[in-house]
Amino acid sequence: MIDIGRLARHPLLLLDAGYSVRKMFDAACRLAEIEPKILLESRAPHTLLALAEAGRGVAIIPSILATDRYILRIVRVAHRRKPLREGLIIQWDKRRPTPSYTESFCDLLAEHMSEVLPITQPSASNTAVAPRRAAVRKTRRHAQQAG
């Protein structure tokens, strides 16, 4: 994890204010009494990731976003040692009958998401990330050439 106060000195690549993740980040900055150094705002999260990969700044993105095609160090942003989090929910219209599989579906979905979300397994270090990401790219290239 990295404390939000440590991010203030870095150029930040942020989603625009229409994203809830951005609103949460801005609120955490206000609570920490810091003024973020915003380099770029975008509606395209993958643009922010590409710029971060090129060394242009630190991208602040939702944890649900796939990052496996980028060579990046992934960490959680925290305020007062608590990670910034945005809850995910499953909604159901109470006027409709609830299917019998609802609870087991929710449990399986939660288990699956905890395994596949990139932020649930932050990068160990820059040196550990690069070989793994290169291997992923190489595997994809071979799959595309074969297919």
Side-chain angles (χ1 to χ4, degrees):
M1 284 194 297
I2 185 168
D3 190 82
I4 199 162
R6 290 184 55 207
L7 289 175
R9 65 177 180 240
H10 298 283
L12 297 178
L13 307 165
L14 300 174
L15 293 166
D16 74 17
Y19 284 86
S20 60
V21 168
R22 171 62 186 275
K23 291 176 184 175
M24 179 178 42
F25 181 79
D26 289 346
C29 287
R30 284 190 303 275
L31 288 172
E33 298 178 347
I34 63 167
E35 185 70 35
K37 184 177 168 184
I38 301 170
L39 177 66
L40 178 74
E41 294 181 12
S42 176
R43 289 206 54 77
H46 289 287
T47 299
L48 302 177
L49 289 170
L51 288 167
E53 184 179 40
R56 301 293 186 217
V58 176
I60 306 297
I61 57 162
S63 62
I64 198 165
L65 190 65
T67 59
D68 61 331
R69 69 180 189 197
Y70 302 94
I71 300 171
L72 296 168
R73 181 171 176 222
I74 307 294
V75 296
R76 286 181 183 235
V77 177
H79 174 59
R80 295 183 180 167
R81 296 187 206 130
K82 293 181 183 176
L84 302 185
R85 301 186 127 179
E86 184 174 46
L88 300 175
I89 62 169
I90 297 174
Q91 295 181 331
W92 189 261
D93 185 346
K94 287 183 179 182
R95 297 173 293 183
R96 301 193 181 274
T98 305
S100 59
Y101 58 80
T102 302
E103 190 171 329
S104 60
F105 172 78
C106 292
D107 292 341
L108 289 171
L109 181 62
E111 181 181 328
H112 173 72
M113 291 185 75
S114 69
E115 291 173 10
V116 300
L117 287 181
I119 202 65
T120 60
Q121 299 172 1
S123 304
S125 70
N126 286 337
T127 56
V129 174
R132 182 176 62 86
R133 299 283 166 89
V136 168
R137 286 184 179 156
K138 188 175 180 181
T139 302
R140 285 189 182 146
R141 264 188 262 128
H142 289 297
Q144 289 172 348
Q145 290 170 355

